[in-house]
Amino acid sequence: SGSQVDMAQEGDVFVRAAPFLRKRRKEEKEERTAKDRLGDLVARIRAVDVQKLDWKRVRWPKLKTWKDKSRTIRHPTKKRIESTVDFFTYTEEEGKKLFDEIDQDGDGKVSLEDLKTAMKKRKLPEAYAHKFMNRAKRSWWWRRSIEWEDFRALMHEKESAMLRCYSSLDVDATGQLKSKQVKSVLHSVGVPDHDENVGAMIKFLGRGDDTTGITYGQFRNFLVLLPPDKLSADPGLLWYESATMLPLTPPQTGTKELLLKTALAGGLSSGVSTFMMHPVDTLKTRLQAVPGATIRDVARSIPQFGAKGLYRGIIPATVGSAASHGLRTCAYEASRLVFTKALPFLGEVQVQGLASGIGTALGTCLRIPNEVLKQRLQAGQYPNVGVAVRSVLRSEGPRGLFRGSGVTLAREIPLFVVGMVAYEQLKKGARGSKARELAAWEYIVLGTLAGAIAGVATTPSDVLKTRIMTADPTVTRGVGQVITDLVTKEGPLALFKGAWARAVWIAPMGAMNFSGYELAKLALIESGDATE
């Protein structure tokens, strides 16, 4: 019947639903049990007297550590792949902007002249343009320009190194370098982190735009123009040097090795320059040593002592100059490093002046005995170095080798302080006007000018030194008495006697000492880096 069929259907449904009902009842029971346990735990916690609890005896449950399964996956996830694609799309867009900026005529090709202009705008050496062009052309050496595909290939080749450089800096959460991060960069390279330096660095990479931060695109468009070997250096240092045109040479191989190379470079440059210019120095000494002597008198006396006489005293002159200048430049670099870090409130000129004064004082103390022997040999008082040393020690004792120390220091310290400061300021002005790194011949010209300026300015001290050192050993006269006699008998202009010869002598020595020292130091440092 119909009622029996309905009952049968209901029983069938009940049989089918029974497992689900049993499962539901079990879940409800477990839920009630969990609630009861939680309530019991809360009650027990409330009953605990926290102040009397011995925390050392409490047994803390071991929590199961959660493992991120995505980290165990070796291959990149879809999200990572998409973010990488976005990154390379962004870098290509930034690179295309740089390519279009360098391509001045808009013909879709970048020539060597275009690259030179781009390097000049970014205050980078012109040699970087040649290196970039040669690397981008690859084996197509006859091509005069490169296209976007060549530029992009070289850009992709450097991308990982550029990204590594940028990520090594203190980038903020937005991926930018703002004022706070730039100050951290300046602090890491040992440069004062004041607002002027921060503004100069941001403005440099911002290409003059009114921006408060630097993005990766702006930073990598600067790095892409650098040679590959420069990308392994400190990116903050490269950034600061290009933005301010103030070179900083960090001691990658250690401060001791840097100072040793500095001393070697200074000694070589001074020794060679002294050896080459010694005949001019001999004529100057003879002109200053003889009261009332004129240039014509000195010129007429040359046949008497011959060409060989022009080289009298060359051994003590060369040895003393090399040793003293090596010590002077080493002390100068060491003092400048110390003053820059210990006295950050001092200006650049003050640091250079103090460091140069300390280095010159130490170097001059080492040079004075050689200077005494040299000048007496040049004046014809002794035939050779051995006789000069024995005669001075016999007649005056060891103090005789240091005769005229005060007036020598009064000449040497102003000479090298004026010369070094003049050279540094001339170099800074030339770099600022040309907006690029200077060539070797430009360093030499600036060194020549700085040497001539310092030589003429310190001629009075040089005249007094010569008169005191070549005077009769049995007669002792002070500096004041020498000045009085000189001005009374020969006039005030006698203090500048031999100024032209001193300028001719010091100018080439300035070129060799100042510029030669710097070029030799850079060569030694670069050779050391290349060896490593």
Side-chain angles (χ1 to χ4, degrees), residues 44-325:
R44 291 172 62 185
I45 291 174
R46 288 177 177 176
V48 173
D49 189 353
V50 179
Q51 295 180 352
K52 296 181 179 180
L53 184 64
D54 187 2
W55 293 97
K56 294 182 179 180
R57 300 180 62 184
V58 174
R59 294 183 180 180
W60 300 99
K62 294 183 179 180
L63 301 177
K64 293 183 179 180
T65 57
W66 176 79
K67 295 182 179 181
D68 184 5
K69 294 183 179 180
S70 63
R71 298 196 178 193
T72 62
I73 300 176
R74 296 292 181 183
H75 59 82
T77 62
K78 181 180 179 181
K79 185 177 181 180
R80 290 183 180 179
I81 293 175
E82 290 176 349
S83 63
T84 305
V85 171
D86 292 340
F87 171 76
F88 279 103
T89 303
Y90 166 74
T91 56
E92 283 212 16
E93 290 175 354
E94 293 294 324
K96 191 65 170 64
K97 290 179 184 178
L98 177 62
F99 182 84
D100 293 338
E101 179 189 342
I102 298 175
D103 181 17
Q104 296 180 343
D105 51 8
D107 61 349
K109 297 180 180 179
V110 169
S111 64
L112 181 60
E113 294 302 321
D114 293 335
L115 285 172
K116 287 181 179 180
T117 303
M119 298 298 177
K120 185 177 181 180
K121 288 181 179 179
R122 289 160 178 81
K123 304 175 185 178
L124 295 173
E126 190 176 288
Y128 288 4
H130 293 274
K131 292 181 180 180
F132 189 94
M133 177 64 73
N134 293 335
R135 196 170 183 86
K137 288 192 300 185
R138 302 180 187 276
S139 59
W140 307 94
W141 55 267
W142 61 86
R143 292 170 56 182
R144 297 283 183 177
S145 60
I146 57 174
E147 299 179 353
W148 163 240
E149 294 300 326
D150 305 314
F151 191 91
R152 183 173 63 177
L154 182 58
M155 187 177 65
H156 286 171
E157 184 180 314
K158 296 181 177 180
E159 199 67 60
S160 61
M162 294 188 295
L163 181 60
R164 186 165 52 251
C165 284
Y166 188 73
S167 60
S168 67
L169 302 176
D170 186 18
V171 183
D172 68 356
T174 63
Q176 290 183 308
L177 291 168
K178 296 184 178 178
S179 297
K180 181 180 178 181
Q181 286 72 36
V182 176
K183 286 185 177 182
S184 176
V185 172
L186 290 171
H187 182 73
S188 66
V189 298
V191 176
D193 54 354
H194 48 69
D195 294 338
E196 184 179 352
N197 282 343
V198 173
M201 294 179 71
I202 292 178
K203 185 177 180 181
F204 173 71
L205 286 188
R207 309 304 306 148
D209 297 335
D210 186 15
T211 179
T212 58
I214 298 301
T215 63
Y216 173 68
Q218 292 170 325
F219 194 82
R220 53 96 63 193
N221 282 354
F222 163 67
L223 294 180
V224 76
L225 298 175
L226 302 179
D229 58 325
K230 292 293 181 181
L231 296 180
S232 59
D234 187 346
L237 184 64
L238 297 173
W239 183 9
Y240 175 78
E241 287 184 343
S242 299
T244 62
M245 291 306 294
L246 294 177
L248 294 175
T249 308
Q252 291 98 344
T253 56
T255 304
K256 292 182 179 179
E257 187 172 346
L258 175 68
L259 295 179
L260 181 62
K261 291 180 178 180
T262 298
L264 180 61
L268 287 174
S269 63
S270 182
V272 172
S273 60
T274 301
F275 182 86
M276 294 177 64
M277 299 304 298
H278 188 75
V280 179
D281 184 42
T282 301
L283 296 176
K284 174 192 70 72
T285 300
R286 286 182 172 270
L287 178 63
Q288 293 177 346
V290 181
T294 62
I295 299 173
R296 183 176 298 179
D297 296 334
V298 174
R300 288 176 179 175
S301 65
I302 293 178
Q304 297 178 5
F305 53 84
K308 186 178 180 180
L310 292 174
Y311 286 92
R312 278 185 175 180
I314 194 170
I315 294 177
T318 304
V319 173
S321 178
S324 65
H325 200 70

Side-chain angles (χ1 to χ4, degrees), residues 263-446:
L264 180 61
L268 287 174
S269 63
S270 182
V272 172
S273 60
T274 301
F275 182 86
M276 294 177 64
M277 299 304 298
H278 188 75
V280 179
D281 184 42
T282 301
L283 296 176
K284 174 192 70 72
T285 300
R286 286 182 172 270
L287 178 63
Q288 293 177 346
V290 181
T294 62
I295 299 173
R296 183 176 298 179
D297 296 334
V298 174
R300 288 176 179 175
S301 65
I302 293 178
Q304 297 178 5
F305 53 84
K308 186 178 180 180
L310 292 174
Y311 286 92
R312 278 185 175 180
I314 194 170
I315 294 177
T318 304
V319 173
S321 178
S324 65
H325 200 70
L327 177 60
R328 179 186 296 118
T329 51
C330 180
Y332 169 77
E333 292 290 349
S335 301
R336 192 171 66 168
L337 288 173
V338 171
F339 289 148
T340 301
K341 293 182 179 180
L343 305 173
F345 54 86
L346 289 180
E348 180 187 356
V349 176
Q350 287 84 354
V351 169
Q352 291 170 1
L354 285 173
S356 182
I358 292 174
T360 303
L362 294 175
T364 303
C365 292
L366 184 64
R367 182 179 179 180
I368 289 175
N370 296 277
E371 191 73 12
V372 172
L373 298 174
K374 181 204 75 168
Q375 292 218 312
R376 294 191 179 185
L377 288 168
Q378 287 176 328
Q381 296 180 0
Y382 304 109
N384 55 59
V385 179
V387 175
V389 173
R390 289 193 296 270
S391 299
V392 171
L393 292 176
R394 187 185 308 113
S395 60
E396 303 175 63
R399 292 183 60 183
L401 293 173
F402 291 89
R403 188 168 184 172
S405 297
V407 74
T408 303
L409 287 170
R411 181 200 71 167
E412 293 292 301
I413 293 178
L415 173 67
F416 283 95
V417 169
V418 171
M420 185 64 77
V421 173
Y423 175 71
E424 292 289 347
Q425 295 305 308
L426 288 171
K427 182 175 65 174
K428 182 179 179 181
R431 281 175 168 167
S433 62
K434 293 182 176 293
R436 61 171 174 80
E437 186 63 36
L438 300 180
W441 69 269
E442 291 171 317
Y443 281 118
I444 294 173
V445 171
L446 296 180

